Amino acid sequence: MGQVISLAQQKGGSGKTTLALNIACAAIEDGMSVALLDTDPQGSLGQWFMRRRQAMDPGMSFSTSSAWGVAYECDKLRGQSDIVIVDTPPKVDADLRPALRESSLILVPVASSHLDLWATESVLDLAAREKRRSAIVLNRSAPRARLMDEVVAALGDIEAPRLVTMLGNRVVYAEATGQGRGVVEMTRAGKAAEEVRALWAEVRGMID
Ligand SMILES: Nc1ncnc2c1ncn2[C@@H]1O[C@H](COP(=O)(O)OP(=O)(O)O)[C@@H](O)[C@H]1O
Ligand SMILES: [Mg+2]
């Protein structure tokens, strides 16, 4: 049976879709079968997938679902794939619950800003109410910035584990996305590819 990983965060632009597609590409590189499920009406993950289809054999499946259809879709996809990755809209409300409920792990990207940080607790609360495991992933980190230190310090007050792996703020993430690829599929994506593989290894360790 496959495992469902969802990306959730109230704040738009935190990196939900970027993490979803990059984790997917790292997982297929690792030999797993992957299904993507886009529940965001904006359809960014779907646009990425359609771009990918033009460029190559996508190597993974894609479907969309409304909030209420998530349980049914996940049941089906779990039977077909090792990993089901669910992208969600930038809001925390009753519509998010079905996706959280289906998840073995909920990843909450926090781009290094206070706005992201302030938006984080609501999704963690909802995950806790559904008794699901969640973990914060620092995204767009800039190791020597003071803001970054502040955000990391403030995260210490939040009761959710934070993944050791952080993703840096790197142009190659946007470049890869525009080509329908993940950074692990880009040539010369050195550090970005490394951190995404490390992220995947950590995530895999949590759902095994
Ligand atoms: N680590 C990163 N480095 C550089 N740009 C990033 C990174 N993560 C995300 N982005 C860019 O930030 C924007 C928002 O990311 P996205 O994944 O669409 O966020 P969300 O799905 O949470 O709204 C996109 O243009 C994306 O390419
Ligand atoms: Mg998105």
Side-chain angles (χ1 to χ4, degrees):
M1 268 313 240
Q3 304 270 1
V4 177
I5 302 167
S6 62
L7 283 297
Q9 160 66 278
Q10 189 170 4
K11 180 81 171 54
S14 60
K16 292 177 288 298
T17 303
T18 302
L19 263 69
L21 65 91
N22 277 291
I23 289 171
C25 291
I28 61 169
E29 184 188 65
D30 194 23
M32 304 209 129
S33 56
V34 172
L36 299 174
L37 180 60
D38 194 358
T39 68
D40 183 356
Q42 266 192 18
S44 308
L45 189 61
Q47 278 164 344
W48 173 80
F49 185 80
M50 295 314 153
R51 178 73 189 82
R52 184 173 179 82
R53 273 184 74 203
Q54 293 168 347
M56 67 183 98
D57 171 0
M60 59 184 84
S61 77
F62 173 81
S63 34
T64 60
S65 153
S66 59
W68 57 266
V70 167
Y72 174 77
E73 279 298 323
C74 282
D75 270 352
K76 193 175 71 185
L77 296 173
R78 263 194 287 258
Q80 298 167 356
S81 302
D82 301 321
I83 304 289
V84 181
I85 299 178
V86 182
D87 196 12
T88 68
K91 56 183 181 185
V92 171
D93 58 14
D95 278 357
L96 185 62
R97 284 189 165 213
L100 300 188
R101 205 171 287 155
E102 293 305 311
S103 305
S104 302
L105 179 63
I106 300 151
L107 295 177
V108 182
V110 173
S112 310
S113 87
H114 288 89
L115 291 176
D116 277 49
L117 195 60
W118 294 329
T120 299
E121 263 170 305
S122 54
V123 65
L124 296 175
D125 285 348
L126 200 59
R129 250 181 283 157
E130 297 297 332
K131 300 187 170 55
R132 289 299 179 271
R133 192 138 73 121
S134 51
I136 291 169
V137 186
L138 273 183
N139 186 29
R140 310 193 77 154
S141 73
R144 275 176 294 279
R146 211 181 70 197
L147 178 62
M148 176 73 190
D149 294 340
E150 281 179 29
V151 169
V152 169
L155 279 175
D157 300 335
I158 292 180
E159 264 177 74
R162 173 163 68 84
L163 297 189
V164 175
T165 312
M166 308 177 202
L167 303 190
N169 189 25
R170 306 180 203 281
V171 189
V172 68
Y173 283 103
E175 280 170 7
T177 302
Q179 296 179 18
R181 293 184 162 82
V183 293
V184 298
E185 297 167 331
M186 301 290 276
T187 44
R188 292 192 301 274
K191 284 188 178 149
E194 257 172 52
E195 64 199 7
V196 166
R197 288 189 185 109
L199 178 70
W200 165 244
E202 217 181 330
V203 166
R204 187 179 172 165
M206 292 177 84
I207 57 176
D208 265 349

PDB file of all heavy atoms in Angstrom, residues 9 11-19 40 42 44 87-88 90 109 139-141 167-175 177 195, ligand 1:
ATOM      1  N   GLN A   9       0.149  24.521   3.838  1.00  0.00           N
ATOM      2  CA  GLN A   9       0.600  25.774   4.469  1.00  0.00           C
ATOM      3  C   GLN A   9      -0.354  26.861   3.992  1.00  0.00           C
ATOM      4  O   GLN A   9      -0.607  26.986   2.801  1.00  0.00           O
ATOM      5  CB  GLN A   9       2.048  26.063   4.058  1.00  0.00           C
ATOM      6  CG  GLN A   9       2.549  27.482   4.207  1.00  0.00           C
ATOM      7  CD  GLN A   9       2.646  27.973   5.637  1.00  0.00           C
ATOM      8  OE1 GLN A   9       1.638  28.393   6.221  1.00  0.00           O
ATOM      9  NE2 GLN A   9       3.840  27.919   6.195  1.00  0.00           N
ATOM     10  N   LYS A  11      -0.008  30.002   3.967  1.00  0.00           N
ATOM     11  CA  LYS A  11       0.646  31.082   3.227  1.00  0.00           C
ATOM     12  C   LYS A  11       0.956  30.623   1.795  1.00  0.00           C
ATOM     13  O   LYS A  11       1.595  29.586   1.611  1.00  0.00           O
ATOM     14  CB  LYS A  11       1.934  31.432   3.966  1.00  0.00           C
ATOM     15  CG  LYS A  11       2.753  32.533   3.369  1.00  0.00           C
ATOM     16  CD  LYS A  11       2.217  33.896   3.740  1.00  0.00           C
ATOM     17  CE  LYS A  11       3.198  34.977   3.308  1.00  0.00           C
ATOM     18  NZ  LYS A  11       3.538  34.862   1.867  1.00  0.00           N
ATOM     19  N   GLY A  12       0.500  31.399   0.813  1.00  0.00           N
ATOM     20  CA  GLY A  12       0.870  31.096  -0.563  1.00  0.00           C
ATOM     21  C   GLY A  12       2.333  31.461  -0.793  1.00  0.00           C
ATOM     22  O   GLY A  12       2.873  32.316  -0.095  1.00  0.00           O
ATOM     23  N   GLY A  13       2.955  30.792  -1.723  1.00  0.00           N
ATOM     24  CA  GLY A  13       4.335  31.130  -2.054  1.00  0.00           C
ATOM     25  C   GLY A  13       5.375  30.565  -1.112  1.00  0.00           C
ATOM     26  O   GLY A  13       6.552  30.904  -1.207  1.00  0.00           O
ATOM     27  N   SER A  14       4.959  29.696  -0.205  1.00  0.00           N
ATOM     28  CA  SER A  14       5.913  29.134   0.763  1.00  0.00           C
ATOM     29  C   SER A  14       6.721  27.986   0.158  1.00  0.00           C
ATOM     30  O   SER A  14       7.782  27.637   0.657  1.00  0.00           O
ATOM     31  CB  SER A  14       5.172  28.647   2.003  1.00  0.00           C
ATOM     32  OG  SER A  14       4.238  27.653   1.630  1.00  0.00           O
ATOM     33  N   GLY A  15       6.185  27.408  -0.908  1.00  0.00           N
ATOM     34  CA  GLY A  15       6.916  26.336  -1.585  1.00  0.00           C
ATOM     35  C   GLY A  15       6.211  24.989  -1.603  1.00  0.00           C
ATOM     36  O   GLY A  15       6.850  23.966  -1.870  1.00  0.00           O
ATOM     37  N   LYS A  16       4.904  24.978  -1.381  1.00  0.00           N
ATOM     38  CA  LYS A  16       4.167  23.696  -1.389  1.00  0.00           C
ATOM     39  C   LYS A  16       4.346  22.963  -2.713  1.00  0.00           C
ATOM     40  O   LYS A  16       4.718  21.787  -2.753  1.00  0.00           O
ATOM     41  CB  LYS A  16       2.662  23.934  -1.144  1.00  0.00           C
ATOM     42  CG  LYS A  16       2.319  24.413   0.248  1.00  0.00           C
ATOM     43  CD  LYS A  16       0.834  24.687   0.399  1.00  0.00           C
ATOM     44  CE  LYS A  16       0.371  25.941  -0.325  1.00  0.00           C
ATOM     45  NZ  LYS A  16       0.980  27.188   0.153  1.00  0.00           N
ATOM     46  N   THR A  17       4.038  23.678  -3.788  1.00  0.00           N
ATOM     47  CA  THR A  17       4.088  23.030  -5.104  1.00  0.00           C
ATOM     48  C   THR A  17       5.524  22.670  -5.479  1.00  0.00           C
ATOM     49  O   THR A  17       5.789  21.587  -6.010  1.00  0.00           O
ATOM     50  CB  THR A  17       3.437  23.951  -6.156  1.00  0.00           C
ATOM     51  OG1 THR A  17       2.091  24.229  -5.732  1.00  0.00           O
ATOM     52  CG2 THR A  17       3.410  23.308  -7.528  1.00  0.00           C
ATOM     53  N   THR A  18       6.447  23.561  -5.170  1.00  0.00           N
ATOM     54  CA  THR A  18       7.867  23.310  -5.466  1.00  0.00           C
ATOM     55  C   THR A  18       8.359  22.056  -4.730  1.00  0.00           C
ATOM     56  O   THR A  18       9.038  21.208  -5.314  1.00  0.00           O
ATOM     57  CB  THR A  18       8.709  24.536  -5.056  1.00  0.00           C
ATOM     58  OG1 THR A  18       8.218  25.673  -5.772  1.00  0.00           O
ATOM     59  CG2 THR A  18      10.177  24.336  -5.357  1.00  0.00           C
ATOM     60  N   LEU A  19       7.991  21.934  -3.472  1.00  0.00           N
ATOM     61  CA  LEU A  19       8.403  20.747  -2.715  1.00  0.00           C
ATOM     62  C   LEU A  19       7.703  19.495  -3.244  1.00  0.00           C
ATOM     63  O   LEU A  19       8.322  18.441  -3.352  1.00  0.00           O
ATOM     64  CB  LEU A  19       8.111  20.920  -1.222  1.00  0.00           C
ATOM     65  CG  LEU A  19       9.311  21.381  -0.386  1.00  0.00           C
ATOM     66  CD1 LEU A  19       9.693  22.800  -0.701  1.00  0.00           C
ATOM     67  CD2 LEU A  19       9.028  21.204   1.091  1.00  0.00           C
ATOM     68  N   ASP A  40      -5.413  21.844  -5.413  1.00  0.00           N
ATOM     69  CA  ASP A  40      -5.445  23.306  -5.473  1.00  0.00           C
ATOM     70  C   ASP A  40      -6.099  23.729  -6.782  1.00  0.00           C
ATOM     71  O   ASP A  40      -5.582  23.420  -7.853  1.00  0.00           O
ATOM     72  CB  ASP A  40      -4.007  23.851  -5.396  1.00  0.00           C
ATOM     73  CG  ASP A  40      -3.975  25.378  -5.370  1.00  0.00           C
ATOM     74  OD1 ASP A  40      -5.050  26.006  -5.496  1.00  0.00           O
ATOM     75  OD2 ASP A  40      -2.872  25.939  -5.229  1.00  0.00           O
ATOM     76  N   GLN A  42      -6.002  26.313  -8.288  1.00  0.00           N
ATOM     77  CA  GLN A  42      -5.074  27.079  -9.132  1.00  0.00           C
ATOM     78  C   GLN A  42      -4.330  26.189 -10.116  1.00  0.00           C
ATOM     79  O   GLN A  42      -3.877  26.650 -11.157  1.00  0.00           O
ATOM     80  CB  GLN A  42      -4.060  27.816  -8.260  1.00  0.00           C
ATOM     81  CG  GLN A  42      -4.497  29.226  -7.961  1.00  0.00           C
ATOM     82  CD  GLN A  42      -3.386  30.054  -7.354  1.00  0.00           C
ATOM     83  OE1 GLN A  42      -2.208  29.722  -7.447  1.00  0.00           O
ATOM     84  NE2 GLN A  42      -3.765  31.127  -6.711  1.00  0.00           N
ATOM     85  N   SER A  44      -1.352  24.661 -10.216  1.00  0.00           N
ATOM     86  CA  SER A  44       0.072  24.837 -10.552  1.00  0.00           C
ATOM     87  C   SER A  44       0.781  23.504 -10.774  1.00  0.00           C
ATOM     88  O   SER A  44       1.588  23.370 -11.694  1.00  0.00           O
ATOM     89  CB  SER A  44       0.811  25.588  -9.436  1.00  0.00           C
ATOM     90  OG  SER A  44       0.150  26.770  -9.121  1.00  0.00           O
ATOM     91  N   ASP A  87      -0.829  18.019  -3.245  1.00  0.00           N
ATOM     92  CA  ASP A  87      -0.614  19.459  -3.140  1.00  0.00           C
ATOM     93  C   ASP A  87      -1.951  20.099  -2.750  1.00  0.00           C
ATOM     94  O   ASP A  87      -3.006  19.651  -3.202  1.00  0.00           O
ATOM     95  CB  ASP A  87      -0.114  20.008  -4.482  1.00  0.00           C
ATOM     96  CG  ASP A  87       0.493  21.409  -4.353  1.00  0.00           C
ATOM     97  OD1 ASP A  87       0.726  21.864  -3.215  1.00  0.00           O
ATOM     98  OD2 ASP A  87       0.747  22.032  -5.411  1.00  0.00           O
ATOM     99  N   THR A  88      -1.897  21.121  -1.915  1.00  0.00           N
ATOM    100  CA  THR A  88      -3.146  21.720  -1.402  1.00  0.00           C
ATOM    101  C   THR A  88      -3.144  23.236  -1.598  1.00  0.00           C
ATOM    102  O   THR A  88      -2.092  23.847  -1.782  1.00  0.00           O
ATOM    103  CB  THR A  88      -3.325  21.399   0.104  1.00  0.00           C
ATOM    104  OG1 THR A  88      -2.322  22.098   0.850  1.00  0.00           O
ATOM    105  CG2 THR A  88      -3.215  19.901   0.378  1.00  0.00           C
ATOM    106  N   PRO A  90      -3.549  27.327  -0.683  1.00  0.00           N
ATOM    107  CA  PRO A  90      -3.016  28.112   0.429  1.00  0.00           C
ATOM    108  C   PRO A  90      -4.105  28.584   1.395  1.00  0.00           C
ATOM    109  O   PRO A  90      -4.364  29.769   1.529  1.00  0.00           O
ATOM    110  CB  PRO A  90      -2.349  29.304  -0.269  1.00  0.00           C
ATOM    111  CG  PRO A  90      -3.109  29.456  -1.530  1.00  0.00           C
ATOM    112  CD  PRO A  90      -3.571  28.094  -1.936  1.00  0.00           C
ATOM    113  N   PRO A 109       5.899  23.658   4.463  1.00  0.00           N
ATOM    114  CA  PRO A 109       7.037  24.500   4.096  1.00  0.00           C
ATOM    115  C   PRO A 109       6.928  25.887   4.721  1.00  0.00           C
ATOM    116  O   PRO A 109       5.847  26.479   4.765  1.00  0.00           O
ATOM    117  CB  PRO A 109       6.968  24.583   2.567  1.00  0.00           C
ATOM    118  CG  PRO A 109       5.624  24.116   2.182  1.00  0.00           C
ATOM    119  CD  PRO A 109       5.025  23.364   3.316  1.00  0.00           C
ATOM    120  N   ASN A 139      12.280  26.464   3.819  1.00  0.00           N
ATOM    121  CA  ASN A 139      12.514  26.643   2.390  1.00  0.00           C
ATOM    122  C   ASN A 139      13.090  28.035   2.140  1.00  0.00           C
ATOM    123  O   ASN A 139      12.884  28.938   2.927  1.00  0.00           O
ATOM    124  CB  ASN A 139      11.193  26.452   1.632  1.00  0.00           C
ATOM    125  CG  ASN A 139      11.379  26.483   0.136  1.00  0.00           C
ATOM    126  OD1 ASN A 139      12.437  26.127  -0.384  1.00  0.00           O
ATOM    127  ND2 ASN A 139      10.338  26.893  -0.575  1.00  0.00           N
ATOM    128  N   ARG A 140      13.792  28.185   1.053  1.00  0.00           N
ATOM    129  CA  ARG A 140      14.402  29.460   0.649  1.00  0.00           C
ATOM    130  C   ARG A 140      15.306  30.017   1.736  1.00  0.00           C
ATOM    131  O   ARG A 140      15.296  31.217   1.998  1.00  0.00           O
ATOM    132  CB  ARG A 140      13.331  30.486   0.282  1.00  0.00           C
ATOM    133  CG  ARG A 140      12.313  29.957  -0.689  1.00  0.00           C
ATOM    134  CD  ARG A 140      11.474  31.044  -1.275  1.00  0.00           C
ATOM    135  NE  ARG A 140      12.221  31.756  -2.299  1.00  0.00           N
ATOM    136  CZ  ARG A 140      11.657  32.403  -3.313  1.00  0.00           C
ATOM    137  NH1 ARG A 140      10.354  32.438  -3.442  1.00  0.00           N
ATOM    138  NH2 ARG A 140      12.393  33.021  -4.202  1.00  0.00           N
ATOM    139  N   SER A 141      16.030  29.121   2.370  1.00  0.00           N
ATOM    140  CA  SER A 141      16.861  29.577   3.478  1.00  0.00           C
ATOM    141  C   SER A 141      18.134  30.249   2.964  1.00  0.00           C
ATOM    142  O   SER A 141      18.659  29.896   1.913  1.00  0.00           O
ATOM    143  CB  SER A 141      17.220  28.410   4.386  1.00  0.00           C
ATOM    144  OG  SER A 141      18.169  27.590   3.754  1.00  0.00           O
ATOM    145  N   LEU A 167      15.925  23.741   2.332  1.00  0.00           N
ATOM    146  CA  LEU A 167      16.195  24.049   0.927  1.00  0.00           C
ATOM    147  C   LEU A 167      16.641  25.499   0.809  1.00  0.00           C
ATOM    148  O   LEU A 167      16.019  26.389   1.393  1.00  0.00           O
ATOM    149  CB  LEU A 167      14.951  23.811   0.069  1.00  0.00           C
ATOM    150  CG  LEU A 167      14.340  22.404   0.101  1.00  0.00           C
ATOM    151  CD1 LEU A 167      13.271  22.276  -0.974  1.00  0.00           C
ATOM    152  CD2 LEU A 167      15.399  21.322  -0.082  1.00  0.00           C
ATOM    153  N   GLY A 168      17.701  25.707   0.075  1.00  0.00           N
ATOM    154  CA  GLY A 168      18.215  27.063  -0.108  1.00  0.00           C
ATOM    155  C   GLY A 168      17.377  27.855  -1.105  1.00  0.00           C
ATOM    156  O   GLY A 168      16.521  27.309  -1.804  1.00  0.00           O
ATOM    157  N   ASN A 169      17.606  29.140  -1.123  1.00  0.00           N
ATOM    158  CA  ASN A 169      16.938  30.019  -2.073  1.00  0.00           C
ATOM    159  C   ASN A 169      17.762  30.007  -3.358  1.00  0.00           C
ATOM    160  O   ASN A 169      18.795  30.658  -3.438  1.00  0.00           O
ATOM    161  CB  ASN A 169      16.878  31.429  -1.470  1.00  0.00           C
ATOM    162  CG  ASN A 169      16.020  32.364  -2.285  1.00  0.00           C
ATOM    163  OD1 ASN A 169      15.114  31.929  -3.007  1.00  0.00           O
ATOM    164  ND2 ASN A 169      16.292  33.645  -2.205  1.00  0.00           N
ATOM    165  N   ARG A 170      17.328  29.238  -4.343  1.00  0.00           N
ATOM    166  CA  ARG A 170      18.141  29.031  -5.540  1.00  0.00           C
ATOM    167  C   ARG A 170      17.278  29.138  -6.805  1.00  0.00           C
ATOM    168  O   ARG A 170      16.219  28.517  -6.887  1.00  0.00           O
ATOM    169  CB  ARG A 170      18.786  27.635  -5.513  1.00  0.00           C
ATOM    170  CG  ARG A 170      19.589  27.356  -4.251  1.00  0.00           C
ATOM    171  CD  ARG A 170      20.197  25.962  -4.308  1.00  0.00           C
ATOM    172  NE  ARG A 170      20.487  25.449  -2.969  1.00  0.00           N
ATOM    173  CZ  ARG A 170      21.539  25.800  -2.252  1.00  0.00           C
ATOM    174  NH1 ARG A 170      22.395  26.664  -2.726  1.00  0.00           N
ATOM    175  NH2 ARG A 170      21.725  25.289  -1.038  1.00  0.00           N
ATOM    176  N   VAL A 171      17.813  29.860  -7.763  1.00  0.00           N
ATOM    177  CA  VAL A 171      17.084  30.104  -9.007  1.00  0.00           C
ATOM    178  C   VAL A 171      16.733  28.807  -9.728  1.00  0.00           C
ATOM    179  O   VAL A 171      15.719  28.717 -10.419  1.00  0.00           O
ATOM    180  CB  VAL A 171      17.923  30.984  -9.968  1.00  0.00           C
ATOM    181  CG1 VAL A 171      17.096  31.419 -11.165  1.00  0.00           C
ATOM    182  CG2 VAL A 171      18.472  32.184  -9.242  1.00  0.00           C
ATOM    183  N   VAL A 172      17.568  27.785  -9.552  1.00  0.00           N
ATOM    184  CA  VAL A 172      17.355  26.542 -10.292  1.00  0.00           C
ATOM    185  C   VAL A 172      16.002  25.888  -9.942  1.00  0.00           C
ATOM    186  O   VAL A 172      15.438  25.161 -10.761  1.00  0.00           O
ATOM    187  CB  VAL A 172      18.533  25.555 -10.073  1.00  0.00           C
ATOM    188  CG1 VAL A 172      18.587  25.037  -8.657  1.00  0.00           C
ATOM    189  CG2 VAL A 172      18.504  24.419 -11.083  1.00  0.00           C
ATOM    190  N   TYR A 173      15.457  26.195  -8.780  1.00  0.00           N
ATOM    191  CA  TYR A 173      14.130  25.648  -8.465  1.00  0.00           C
ATOM    192  C   TYR A 173      13.085  26.158  -9.450  1.00  0.00           C
ATOM    193  O   TYR A 173      12.273  25.388  -9.961  1.00  0.00           O
ATOM    194  CB  TYR A 173      13.721  25.985  -7.021  1.00  0.00           C
ATOM    195  CG  TYR A 173      14.412  25.105  -6.013  1.00  0.00           C
ATOM    196  CD1 TYR A 173      15.482  25.575  -5.267  1.00  0.00           C
ATOM    197  CD2 TYR A 173      14.010  23.788  -5.835  1.00  0.00           C
ATOM    198  CE1 TYR A 173      16.137  24.764  -4.358  1.00  0.00           C
ATOM    199  CE2 TYR A 173      14.662  22.959  -4.933  1.00  0.00           C
ATOM    200  CZ  TYR A 173      15.722  23.456  -4.198  1.00  0.00           C
ATOM    201  OH  TYR A 173      16.373  22.640  -3.315  1.00  0.00           O
ATOM    202  N   ALA A 174      13.119  27.460  -9.695  1.00  0.00           N
ATOM    203  CA  ALA A 174      12.157  28.032 -10.644  1.00  0.00           C
ATOM    204  C   ALA A 174      12.462  27.577 -12.070  1.00  0.00           C
ATOM    205  O   ALA A 174      11.552  27.280 -12.845  1.00  0.00           O
ATOM    206  CB  ALA A 174      12.169  29.552 -10.542  1.00  0.00           C
ATOM    207  N   GLU A 175      13.744  27.504 -12.406  1.00  0.00           N
ATOM    208  CA  GLU A 175      14.136  27.059 -13.755  1.00  0.00           C
ATOM    209  C   GLU A 175      13.650  25.648 -14.041  1.00  0.00           C
ATOM    210  O   GLU A 175      13.066  25.366 -15.085  1.00  0.00           O
ATOM    211  CB  GLU A 175      15.659  27.076 -13.899  1.00  0.00           C
ATOM    212  CG  GLU A 175      16.232  28.454 -14.172  1.00  0.00           C
ATOM    213  CD  GLU A 175      17.758  28.472 -14.077  1.00  0.00           C
ATOM    214  OE1 GLU A 175      18.386  27.383 -13.931  1.00  0.00           O
ATOM    215  OE2 GLU A 175      18.315  29.570 -14.129  1.00  0.00           O
ATOM    216  N   THR A 177      11.274  23.970 -12.556  1.00  0.00           N
ATOM    217  CA  THR A 177       9.810  23.927 -12.594  1.00  0.00           C
ATOM    218  C   THR A 177       9.300  24.348 -13.973  1.00  0.00           C
ATOM    219  O   THR A 177       8.429  23.696 -14.546  1.00  0.00           O
ATOM    220  CB  THR A 177       9.220  24.834 -11.498  1.00  0.00           C
ATOM    221  OG1 THR A 177       9.718  24.400 -10.232  1.00  0.00           O
ATOM    222  CG2 THR A 177       7.699  24.767 -11.487  1.00  0.00           C
ATOM    223  N   GLU A 195      20.348  18.792  -1.787  1.00  0.00           N
ATOM    224  CA  GLU A 195      19.452  19.029  -0.650  1.00  0.00           C
ATOM    225  C   GLU A 195      18.094  18.359  -0.873  1.00  0.00           C
ATOM    226  O   GLU A 195      17.472  17.890   0.076  1.00  0.00           O
ATOM    227  CB  GLU A 195      19.330  20.531  -0.315  1.00  0.00           C
ATOM    228  CG  GLU A 195      18.715  21.396  -1.382  1.00  0.00           C
ATOM    229  CD  GLU A 195      19.024  22.888  -1.223  1.00  0.00           C
ATOM    230  OE1 GLU A 195      19.831  23.266  -0.352  1.00  0.00           O
ATOM    231  OE2 GLU A 195      18.454  23.674  -1.995  1.00  0.00           O
TER     232      GLU A 195
HETATM  233  N1  LIG B   1      13.886  27.092  -2.565  1.00  0.00           N
HETATM  234  C1  LIG B   1      13.485  27.975  -3.501  1.00  0.00           C
HETATM  235  N2  LIG B   1      14.388  28.774  -4.118  1.00  0.00           N
HETATM  236  C2  LIG B   1      13.980  29.667  -5.042  1.00  0.00           C
HETATM  237  N3  LIG B   1      12.713  29.835  -5.424  1.00  0.00           N
HETATM  238  C3  LIG B   1      11.769  29.080  -4.846  1.00  0.00           C
HETATM  239  C4  LIG B   1      12.097  28.105  -3.857  1.00  0.00           C
HETATM  240  N4  LIG B   1      10.948  27.506  -3.463  1.00  0.00           N
HETATM  241  C5  LIG B   1       9.963  28.077  -4.168  1.00  0.00           C
HETATM  242  N5  LIG B   1      10.426  29.024  -5.003  1.00  0.00           N
HETATM  243  C6  LIG B   1       9.639  29.881  -5.921  1.00  0.00           C
HETATM  244  O1  LIG B   1       8.694  30.584  -5.138  1.00  0.00           O
HETATM  245  C7  LIG B   1       7.453  30.700  -5.814  1.00  0.00           C
HETATM  246  C8  LIG B   1       6.344  30.109  -4.936  1.00  0.00           C
HETATM  247  O2  LIG B   1       6.573  28.712  -4.754  1.00  0.00           O
HETATM  248  P1  LIG B   1       5.371  27.661  -4.817  1.00  0.00           P
HETATM  249  O3  LIG B   1       5.967  26.316  -4.719  1.00  0.00           O
HETATM  250  O4  LIG B   1       4.497  27.950  -5.984  1.00  0.00           O
HETATM  251  O5  LIG B   1       4.604  28.022  -3.459  1.00  0.00           O
HETATM  252  P2  LIG B   1       3.121  27.567  -3.000  1.00  0.00           P
HETATM  253  O6  LIG B   1       2.761  26.342  -3.772  1.00  0.00           O
HETATM  254  O7  LIG B   1       3.242  27.335  -1.536  1.00  0.00           O
HETATM  255  O8  LIG B   1       2.231  28.736  -3.296  1.00  0.00           O
HETATM  256  C9  LIG B   1       7.632  29.981  -7.138  1.00  0.00           C
HETATM  257  O9  LIG B   1       7.926  30.945  -8.121  1.00  0.00           O
HETATM  258  C10 LIG B   1       8.830  29.068  -6.914  1.00  0.00           C
HETATM  259  O10 LIG B   1       9.549  28.818  -8.102  1.00  0.00           O
END
